[in-house]
Amino acid sequence: MSTTNMASSGNYWEDLRKQARKVENELDLKLVSFSKLCTSYSSESSRPRSDSYGSSHDNMLVVMTTELEQLLATLSAVNDKMAEYTSTTGTFSYGAAMTHTLQRHRDILQDYTREYHKTKMNFFSLREREDLLGSVHRDIESMKSSSGVNNRRTEIFLKEHEHLRNSDRLLDNAISIAIATKGNITFQRGMLKSIQTRVTTLAHRFPAINGLIQKIHLRKRRDSLILGGVIGVCTILLLLYTFH
C-alpha cells in the first residue's frame, strides 16, 4: 500500500472515530436530558397537572425518544463502517489498536442503548401506574360527588344485600334441621323394620311349636292305647289260663 493510500485510509479512520465520538457525546447529553425529563414527570405526578402540561410533556418525550433512537442508529451505522474498514484495510500494523478502539465504541453503544431502554421502560411503567392511580382517584371523586339519591340507592342495595344474607343463613339452618330430622326418621324406620322382622319370625315359629306339641300328644295317646291293649290282652290270657 502506498503512502498516499495509507494516509487516506488513516484519515478515513480518524473521521469515523471523530464522528463516533461526536454522536456519543450527543447521546450522552440527550440521555441526561431524557432522564431529567422522566424524573420531572415522576416528581410532578404527585401533584395535579393541567391537560396542557401533560400534552406538552408527552410531546417532549416523543421528540426526545425519536432523537435518541436516531442517534443510536447513527452510532450503530458508524460502528459498522469502522468494522468494515478494519476487516478490509491492509494496514495490519494498526489492526490490534483498531480492533480495540472498535470494541470500545461498541461497548459504549451497548451501554447507551441499555440505559435508554431502561429509562424508557421505567418511565412507561411509572406513567402506567400513575394513570391507574389517577383513574382510581377519579372514580373515588365521582362516587363522593354523586347525589344523595344515589347514596340512598346504595344504602337500599346494602340493606337488601344484608336481608338476602340473613335469608340464606335461615335457609341453611332449615336445611340442616331437615337433614338431621331425615337421619333420625331413617334410623327409627330401620329400628321398626328390625322389630317387625323379629315379630314376623316369632309368628312363623309359634305355629311350628304348636304342631310339634300336638304331634307329641298324639304319640303319647297312641302309646297309651297300645300299652292298655297289650295289658288287656295279657290279663284275658292270664284269666283264661287260670280258669281252664
Side-chain angles (χ1 to χ4, degrees):
M1 180 180 291
S2 64
T3 306
T4 303
N5 291 333
M6 290 179 63
S8 177
S9 298
N11 291 333
Y12 180 69
W13 175 256
E14 287 299 325
D15 290 339
L16 290 177
R17 288 184 60 188
K18 290 179 181 180
Q19 187 178 359
R21 287 196 296 268
K22 180 182 178 181
V23 177
E24 288 169 358
N25 291 333
E26 292 180 3
L27 270 171
D28 186 62
L29 295 175
K30 289 289 184 182
L31 284 172
V32 172
S33 300
F34 184 64
S35 179
K36 289 181 179 180
L37 185 62
C38 295
T39 304
S40 66
Y41 179 87
S42 175
S43 61
E44 293 290 339
S45 62
S46 60
R47 293 180 288 181
R49 296 172 295 163
S50 61
D51 294 337
S52 60
Y53 174 83
S55 178
S56 62
H57 197 279
D58 291 340
N59 291 334
M60 291 176 62
L61 283 170
V62 171
V63 172
M64 193 164 290
T65 53
T66 303
E67 292 177 352
L68 282 168
E69 289 175 358
Q70 290 176 353
L71 288 173
L72 289 171
T74 302
L75 183 57
S76 178
V78 174
N79 286 343
D80 292 339
K81 291 179 181 179
M82 295 174 71
E84 182 180 359
Y85 176 79
T86 56
S87 62
T88 58
T89 184
T91 310
F92 295 103
S93 59
Y94 299 101
M98 289 180 179
T99 302
H100 176 74
T101 301
L102 174 61
Q103 185 61 41
R104 184 171 60 85
H105 286 294
R106 282 179 173 175
D107 293 339
I108 293 174
L109 175 61
Q110 290 180 358
D111 291 339
Y112 284 157
T113 303
R114 190 181 303 109
E115 182 179 354
Y116 166 69
H117 287 295
K118 181 180 179 181
T119 305
K120 184 179 178 181
M121 290 302 296
N122 290 337
F123 166 72
F124 281 116
S125 298
L126 175 64
R127 188 169 67 175
E128 183 179 358
R129 185 184 66 181
E130 293 299 330
D131 291 341
L132 179 60
L133 292 176
S135 176
V136 172
H137 287 308
R138 287 192 296 270
D139 292 340
I140 293 175
E141 293 298 330
S142 177
M143 291 180 62
K144 288 182 179 180
S145 61
S146 62
S147 62
V149 176
N150 291 332
N151 292 334
R152 178 62 180 171
R153 186 176 299 173
T154 302
E155 291 178 1
I156 293 173
F157 287 156
L158 291 175
K159 289 181 179 179
E160 188 67 23
H161 179 67
E162 187 65 23
H163 292 162
L164 290 175
R165 288 183 60 186
N166 293 332
S167 299
D168 291 338
R169 193 179 299 111
L170 292 175
L171 184 61
D172 291 338
N173 293 333
I175 292 174
S176 299
I177 294 172
I179 292 174
T181 304
K182 179 182 177 182
N184 292 330
I185 292 175
T186 303
F187 178 72
Q188 293 178 4
R189 184 177 65 181
M191 290 184 63
L192 292 175
K193 188 173 182 181
S194 177
I195 293 172
Q196 183 180 2
T197 303
R198 291 179 181 179
V199 171
T200 304
T201 302
L202 291 175
H204 286 300
R205 286 180 179 179
F206 278 123
I209 295 172
N210 291 331
L212 181 62
I213 293 173
Q214 290 178 0
K215 288 181 180 179
I216 292 172
H217 287 308
L218 290 175
R219 182 169 295 179
K220 284 183 177 181
R221 186 178 298 173
R222 185 186 61 186
D223 292 340
S224 298
L225 291 174
I226 293 172
L227 182 59
V230 171
I231 293 172
V233 171
C234 291
T235 303
I236 293 171
L237 291 175
L238 181 59
L239 290 175
L240 289 175
Y241 179 77
T242 303
F243 292 106
H244 189 280

